[in-house]
């Protein structure tokens, strides 16, 4: 509302006019009674009007002195409110702090309110959980739309790349191998590998390929021997025989390794793996090689493009899901809120725990904000323009203050009549 249109302003102006009219009426009555010699009834009128005028003027001075200097005269102890604005601001701030922000009072009211029970009852209503989930979905979509995608992509790329650069790949590889070797897992890995090799060696196609390689090698390296042998027995048959024997020998060796937990090959394998893990953890040269390889991977354009595209993929997925009425994320949030409401209604321990957390949080917040709010109130009041402060206070309480002027006029007049009566009685 515009200050000019404030209805309190018209009321205050009207009451001030009434008070002035009463003062003028008392002055007129005093003058008329004096002109009539102040005899008979005019003596009583003079006593009443004289005392009423004094009372009206005294109360006018008192009311005006609260807000400004009467007649702009430098009278001491006037314009009380403007002159004491800072003290009033400090007192008001302390009053609010001690009576409205007292932690014990606030916590007592919050405890009686039992926020956990009320929250549980509210969330247990399906429409409330659905409304909250819908509001959260809308806020999330707006937040995604407001984000600067280019800035987010740069931030994510910078963060991921920096974390990868700081990552000790060699130590992590050593720890990972340590996990793989626990409980002889590395031996089971070796078994699987050997079984796959055995399956591969047992295939006819592999043996045929091996035979062809043997024949081709003999013909290339020893052509004369190949011609001589071919005259006695076809060299292809010799290649097949050698390939078959090599395959059987390999299978027998693999079977020995698989059937003997203490086979030398297993021991060599375990020893090599243990030494390599130790080197990954302690050998600076090997760690440097691993980290150099890691750096090359990080700097690869494909990896950089992938990291840059992370946010776009996440953003597109979230935007697409949250834009739908049947959003998976919103549905999950709605179900979670409903379950929370049901749990709060059925589990007293959960309610007590939540109430305790709320009370503890409220106490910390109150203690943290108490002095800040006090300072804010004091500084705000001190920063107010004195003229506007006086105007607002006068509009708020000025109407009642004008009734003090009315009462002062009437009470003064009655006192004047009483004094006139006492004087007359004493003369009698």
């Amino acid at each position: 509302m515009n200050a000019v249109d404030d209805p309190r302003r018209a009321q205050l102006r009207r009451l001030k006019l009434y008070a002035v009219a009463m003062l003028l009426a008392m002055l007129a009555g005093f003058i008329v009674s004096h002109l009539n010699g102040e005899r008979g009834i005019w003596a009583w009128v003079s006593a009443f009007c004289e005392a009423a005028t004094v009372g009206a003027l005294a109360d006018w001075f008192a009311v005006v002195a609260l807000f400004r200097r009467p007649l702009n005269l430098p009278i001491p102890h006037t314009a009380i409110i403007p002159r004491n604005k800072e003290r009033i601001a400090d007192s008001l701030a302390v009053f609010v702090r001690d009576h409205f922000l007292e932690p014990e009072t606030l916590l007592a009211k919050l405890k009686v309110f039992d926020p956990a029970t009320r929250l549980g009852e509210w969330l247990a209503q399906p429409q409330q959980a659905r409304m909250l989930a819908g509001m959260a979905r809308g806020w999330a979509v707006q937040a995604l739309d407001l984000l600067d995608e280019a800035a987010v992509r740069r931030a994510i790329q910078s963060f991921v790349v920096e974390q990868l650069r700081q990552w000790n790949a060699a130590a992590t590889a050593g720890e990972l191998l340590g996990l793989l070797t626990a409980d002889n897992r590395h031996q089971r890995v070796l078994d699987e590998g050997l079984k796959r090799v055995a399956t591969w060696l047992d295939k006819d196609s592999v043996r045929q390929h091996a035979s062809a390689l043997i024949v081709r090698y003999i013909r290339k390296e020893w052509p004369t021997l190949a011609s001589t042998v071919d005259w006695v027995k076809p060299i292809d048959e010799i290649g097949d025989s050698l390939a078959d024997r090599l395959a059987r020998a390999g299978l027998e060796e693999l079977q020995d390794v698989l059937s003997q937990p203490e086979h030398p090959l297993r021991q060599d394998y375990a020893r090599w793996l243990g030494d390599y893990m130790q080197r990954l953890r302690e050998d600076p040269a090997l760690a440097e090689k691993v980290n150099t390889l890691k750096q090359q991977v990080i700097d690869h354009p494909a990896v950089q493009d992938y990291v840059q595209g992370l946010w776009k993929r996440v953003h597109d997925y979230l935007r697409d899901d949250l834009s739908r009425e049947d959003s998976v994320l919103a549905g999950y949030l709605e179900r979670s809120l409903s379950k929370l409401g049901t749990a709060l209604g059925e589990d007293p321990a959960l309610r007590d725990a939540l109430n305790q957390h709320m009370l503890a949080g409220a106490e910390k917040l109150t203690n943290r904000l108490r002095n800040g709010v006090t300072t804010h109130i004091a500084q705000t009041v001190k920063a107010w323009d004195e003229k506007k402060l006086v105007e607002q206070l006068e509009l708020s309480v000025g109407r009642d203050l004008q009734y003090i002027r009315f009462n002062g006029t009437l009470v003064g007049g009655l006192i004047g009549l009483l004094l006139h009566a006492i004087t007359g009685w004493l003369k009698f």
Side-chain angles (χ1 to χ4, degrees), residues 147-419:
L147 287 174
D148 184 348
E149 291 191 20
V152 174
R153 282 200 302 271
R154 288 193 299 270
I156 290 178
Q157 181 185 12
S158 176
F159 174 77
V160 173
V161 170
E162 182 60 28
Q163 294 301 310
L164 288 175
R165 293 188 194 281
Q166 296 178 4
W167 169 45
N168 190 338
T172 303
E175 296 297 330
L176 180 59
L177 287 176
L179 291 174
L180 292 175
T181 56
D183 299 327
N184 282 328
R185 293 191 185 97
H186 60 297
Q187 294 293 350
R188 292 195 288 273
V189 173
L190 178 62
D191 289 344
E192 286 298 321
L194 294 176
K195 288 176 182 178
R196 290 183 178 273
V197 172
T199 302
W200 181 73
L201 288 176
D202 200 33
K203 291 181 178 180
D204 290 338
S205 59
V206 174
R207 295 185 182 186
Q208 292 172 5
H209 185 65
S211 175
L213 288 176
I214 292 171
V215 171
R216 187 164 62 249
Y217 184 78
I218 292 174
R219 291 186 185 280
K220 178 181 178 182
E221 297 295 331
W222 303 296
T224 304
L225 177 62
S227 300
T228 304
V229 172
D230 202 22
W231 180 77
V232 178
K233 185 178 182 179
I235 196 170
D236 291 339
E237 293 182 11
I238 295 175
D240 292 341
S241 177
L242 287 174
D244 184 62
R245 289 181 182 183
L246 288 173
R248 283 200 306 271
L251 289 171
E252 289 175 1
E253 184 64 25
L254 291 176
Q255 188 61 38
D256 289 341
V257 176
L258 289 170
S259 61
Q260 298 177 23
E262 301 300 327
H263 192 280
L265 180 63
R266 290 184 180 277
Q267 295 178 1
D268 291 342
Y269 165 66
R271 186 164 45 252
W272 170 83
L273 196 57
D275 292 342
Y276 193 71
M277 285 190 298
Q278 191 71 17
R279 288 182 60 201
L280 284 171
R281 295 190 183 107
E282 300 177 359
D283 187 350
L286 182 59
E288 183 63 28
K289 290 181 181 179
V290 174
N291 285 322
T292 299
L293 178 61
K294 177 198 72 175
Q295 190 61 47
Q296 292 174 353
V297 173
I298 294 173
D299 294 335
H300 195 280
V303 175
Q304 293 288 332
D305 291 342
Y306 177 80
V307 173
Q308 285 186 359
L310 278 176
W311 170 245
K312 185 175 186 333
R313 287 189 287 274
V314 173
H315 178 276
D316 291 346
Y317 171 78
L318 292 175
R319 187 72 172 74
D320 180 65
D321 178 78
L322 294 171
S323 298
R324 300 198 310 267
E325 290 294 330
D326 59 342
S327 167
V328 175
L329 294 174
Y332 177 78
L333 177 60
E334 180 181 341
R335 291 190 297 272
S336 299
L337 291 172
S338 296
K339 289 180 180 178
L340 176 60
T342 303
L344 286 173
E346 298 175 351
D347 190 345
L350 179 60
R351 290 198 301 273
D352 291 341
L354 185 58
N355 278 331
Q356 289 300 323
H357 283 299
M358 288 184 178
L359 289 172
E363 184 177 11
K364 291 179 181 178
L365 181 63
T366 302
N367 289 328
R368 186 165 61 249
L369 295 180
R370 194 164 178 249
N371 291 331
V373 171
T374 303
T375 303
H376 174 70
I377 292 174
Q379 291 178 347
T380 301
V381 175
K382 291 176 182 178
W384 284 348
D385 178 71
E386 291 184 2
K387 184 177 180 181
K388 289 196 67 175
L389 173 63
V390 168
E391 182 182 22
Q392 290 302 316
L393 288 175
E394 193 172 13
L395 288 174
S396 298
V397 299
R399 185 171 180 271
D400 293 325
L401 294 177
Q402 301 311 309
Y403 282 104
I404 292 178
R405 294 174 63 183
F406 298 156
N407 295 334
T409 303
L410 295 175
V411 171
L414 293 174
I415 292 175
L417 290 177
L418 178 62
L419 291 176

Side-chain angles (χ1 to χ4, degrees), residues 5-22:
D5 300 330
D6 193 335
R8 296 177 300 173
R9 189 180 301 279
Q11 292 178 355
L12 180 61
R13 188 183 301 113
R14 185 168 58 252
L15 290 174
K16 283 183 177 181
L17 290 175
Y18 290 161
V20 171
M22 288 186 67

Side-chain angles (χ1 to χ4, degrees), residues 49-218:
C49 291
E50 182 181 6
T53 301
V54 173
L57 289 173
D59 285 341
W60 166 82
F61 181 89
V63 170
V64 173
L66 286 173
F67 303 105
R68 56 187 64 85
R69 294 184 183 278
L71 303 177
N72 289 324
L73 298 175
I75 303 173
H77 305 293
T78 56
I80 294 173
I81 291 176
R83 290 176 57 247
N84 294 276
K85 184 180 69 170
E86 293 195 0
R87 184 164 58 88
I88 293 172
D90 292 332
S91 299
L92 177 62
V94 171
F95 177 80
V96 172
R97 182 195 66 191
D98 293 341
H99 293 83
F100 294 92
L101 296 177
E102 181 63 32
E104 293 182 1
T105 304
L106 291 176
L107 294 178
K109 292 182 178 180
L110 185 61
K111 189 174 182 180
V112 172
F113 183 72
D114 191 7
T117 299
R118 294 178 181 270
L119 177 63
E121 293 173 352
W122 192 76
L123 289 177
Q125 303 175 27
Q127 65 272 21
Q128 305 297 355
R130 189 176 304 112
M131 178 192 69
L132 275 183
M135 291 172 59
R137 182 170 64 87
W139 294 336
V141 171
Q142 292 178 9
L144 287 172
D145 290 340
L146 289 174
L147 287 174
D148 184 348
E149 291 191 20
V152 174
R153 282 200 302 271
R154 288 193 299 270
I156 290 178
Q157 181 185 12
S158 176
F159 174 77
V160 173
V161 170
E162 182 60 28
Q163 294 301 310
L164 288 175
R165 293 188 194 281
Q166 296 178 4
W167 169 45
N168 190 338
T172 303
E175 296 297 330
L176 180 59
L177 287 176
L179 291 174
L180 292 175
T181 56
D183 299 327
N184 282 328
R185 293 191 185 97
H186 60 297
Q187 294 293 350
R188 292 195 288 273
V189 173
L190 178 62
D191 289 344
E192 286 298 321
L194 294 176
K195 288 176 182 178
R196 290 183 178 273
V197 172
T199 302
W200 181 73
L201 288 176
D202 200 33
K203 291 181 178 180
D204 290 338
S205 59
V206 174
R207 295 185 182 186
Q208 292 172 5
H209 185 65
S211 175
L213 288 176
I214 292 171
V215 171
R216 187 164 62 249
Y217 184 78
I218 292 174

